[in-house]
Amino acid sequence: MIAVAMGAVAMGTVVEAKPKVVRQIPVTKEFITDEIKPSTNPKGYKFKMRMIVVDGIIEICGVGVHRDAMLRRSATEYLRNLTLSMNGKVIMRDFRFFNTVKSVKALETAKANCASTGTRAPKGKPKWSWGGHGARF
């Protein structure tokens, strides 16, 4: 792993590590549920996610399940390229830090991994947006 990262730096490529998990919290009703899937397949990656504020800093918490082994690689690529912006500024890149469970039912009782955005929670209502170039499904 270190050799790959060193080689990438030597070639001028920036290698970003996925965000570090700073805590785990239980999934509650405050979590939203969503999916990443192609329009041609009813299965894909189902996840639960929520934002929390700890000591004034925004953290993103999530847990997910891969429902189709053939789509696992594409869903993981999608999570790697996903960004979250607040008021036009990217505050989080790469959502592969989400905890992984083995079944959809387990999402309800799982622990979600949380990673810090390093961004202070704003006063007022910010404008949120998702970005990234997705993946091939």
Side-chain angles (χ1 to χ4, degrees):
M1 181 74 168
I2 293 173
V4 172
M6 296 288 277
V9 170
M11 294 173 54
T13 305
V14 177
V15 177
E16 292 186 35
K18 65 182 173 181
K20 181 181 172 190
V21 173
V22 294
R23 76 187 79 254
Q24 284 192 315
I25 63 171
V27 171
T28 62
K29 66 181 177 170
E30 289 83 16
F31 278 72
I32 60 164
T33 303
D34 207 345
E35 291 184 303
I36 299 168
K37 64 181 181 175
S39 60
T40 57
N41 187 331
K43 294 184 178 181
Y45 179 77
K46 188 169 189 171
F47 63 94
K48 289 190 168 280
M49 182 182 87
R50 115 173 247 209
M51 244 181 254
I52 62 173
V53 177
V54 177
D55 295 330
I57 303 296
I58 300 168
E59 292 183 9
I60 308 296
C61 304
V63 58
V65 59
H66 292 278
R67 298 172 57 205
D68 186 325
M70 294 190 61
L71 298 176
R72 184 182 191 106
R73 185 176 187 161
S74 294
T76 300
E77 178 77 6
Y78 187 90
L79 289 169
R80 185 177 71 79
N81 293 314
L82 189 61
T83 61
L84 176 64
S85 296
M86 179 180 74
N87 297 330
K89 179 185 174 218
V90 173
I91 65 167
M92 175 71 76
R93 296 181 191 279
D94 193 345
F95 286 74
R96 291 177 298 161
F97 66 88
F98 281 12
N99 193 11
T100 301
V101 294
K102 295 185 181 196
S103 71
V104 172
K105 187 176 182 180
L107 286 174
E108 302 302 323
T109 57
K111 295 265 188 186
N113 288 348
C114 301
S116 176
T117 64
T119 302
R120 285 215 152 286
K123 294 183 174 155
K125 273 200 144 198
K127 181 179 177 200
W128 299 99
S129 61
W130 294 98
H133 61 74
R136 292 186 65 185
F137 281 94

